[in-house]
Amino acid sequence: MRKPAYISLMIALVTLIITGCIMENSDRSKPPVSEAETVEAVHDRKLIPIAYAQLAYTKTSPDYVWEFRTDNQVDQDIQEQYEAQHNRVPGASVLKETEEEIYLMIHAGKHPSSEGFEIVSMSIAEADGAQPASLFIELSPSHDEVTEGYPGEANVTALIRMNKKEWPEDFVLRSIRMTGV
């Protein structure tokens, strides 16, 4: 009779571990950092606005793909990477970096068909003590009338090109912070 109880206890412990209810080295006394605190910490540093070109804005769902392009001259390898990553988690990632340019994908997550995002600003937050220099992207929700009647939700992404010649001389892209959507 002791073996079934032991097995049930082991199954319960494994389930708790898998679901994350038991967290080693966790400090539950510290509240999570809010988006407002992160933005405030970045805005305490000097922000240098940077120029960028939005090459594509895409909505991808199981039912449709809708895309607006401003430049059809995107290299095939960049285009393939961009298309392959439409279903990733929200954030920004470098698709390709050359001596002169950086191609960046911005992914704002899933939204209803009539919703999307606009880029409010892109800037470099200079290094400050323990804070490394970082690229700071601020997004704002937008209403996309063109896809208003489309069914369901879609992943909303944008392809951006930035000219590195306009960046501070010693800036190396190691961190990207994104807020807004």
Side-chain angles (χ1 to χ4, degrees):
M1 292 284 174
R2 293 181 75 58
K3 278 191 177 184
Y6 175 74
I7 292 172
S8 295
L9 178 61
M10 291 305 294
I11 291 172
L13 282 173
V14 169
T15 302
L16 285 173
I17 291 170
I18 290 172
T19 60
C21 292
I22 297 175
M23 299 179 352
E24 188 175 308
N25 296 326
S26 83
D27 183 358
R28 295 179 188 223
S29 64
K30 293 181 183 177
V33 175
S34 72
E35 182 176 307
E37 291 170 322
T38 303
V39 171
E40 186 176 306
V42 171
H43 283 297
D44 287 343
R45 298 189 278 164
K46 182 179 178 187
L47 293 175
I48 303 165
I50 58 169
Y52 64 92
Q54 185 169 320
L55 307 177
Y57 179 79
T58 310
K59 291 188 167 193
T60 308
S61 85
D63 299 319
Y64 68 91
V65 174
W66 179 90
E67 184 168 82
F68 173 76
R69 287 197 165 270
T70 58
D71 187 349
N72 290 321
Q73 303 301 319
V74 177
D75 291 346
Q76 185 67 28
D77 64 323
I78 295 169
Q79 182 62 35
E80 288 173 2
Q81 287 183 62
Y82 178 65
E83 290 172 1
Q85 296 187 42
H86 284 297
N87 295 320
R88 63 186 304 261
V89 297
S93 61
V94 174
L95 297 180
K96 183 176 183 177
E97 182 173 359
T98 68
E99 291 284 326
E100 295 90 28
E101 299 174 318
I102 289 182
Y103 291 85
L104 186 72
M105 177 177 183
I106 297 174
H107 186 270
K110 280 194 172 193
H111 294 277
S113 63
S114 63
E115 295 177 15
F117 71 89
E118 294 178 5
I119 300 170
V120 174
S121 67
M122 292 184 76
S123 50
I124 293 173
E126 290 188 330
D128 181 26
Q131 296 290 327
S134 58
L135 177 64
F136 180 66
I137 304 168
E138 188 174 358
L139 304 178
S140 174
S142 70
H143 180 78
D144 295 339
E145 290 180 17
V146 171
T147 55
E148 176 99 28
Y150 286 44
E153 293 185 323
N155 286 298
V156 185
T157 57
L159 176 61
I160 305 299
R161 179 180 60 222
M162 297 174 287
N163 187 338
K164 290 169 49 176
K165 293 177 186 175
E166 299 172 11
W167 293 12
E169 190 174 308
D170 59 344
F171 180 73
V172 176
L173 181 59
R174 293 196 176 112
S175 170
I176 301 173
R177 293 179 176 211
M178 188 173 83
T179 62
V181 176

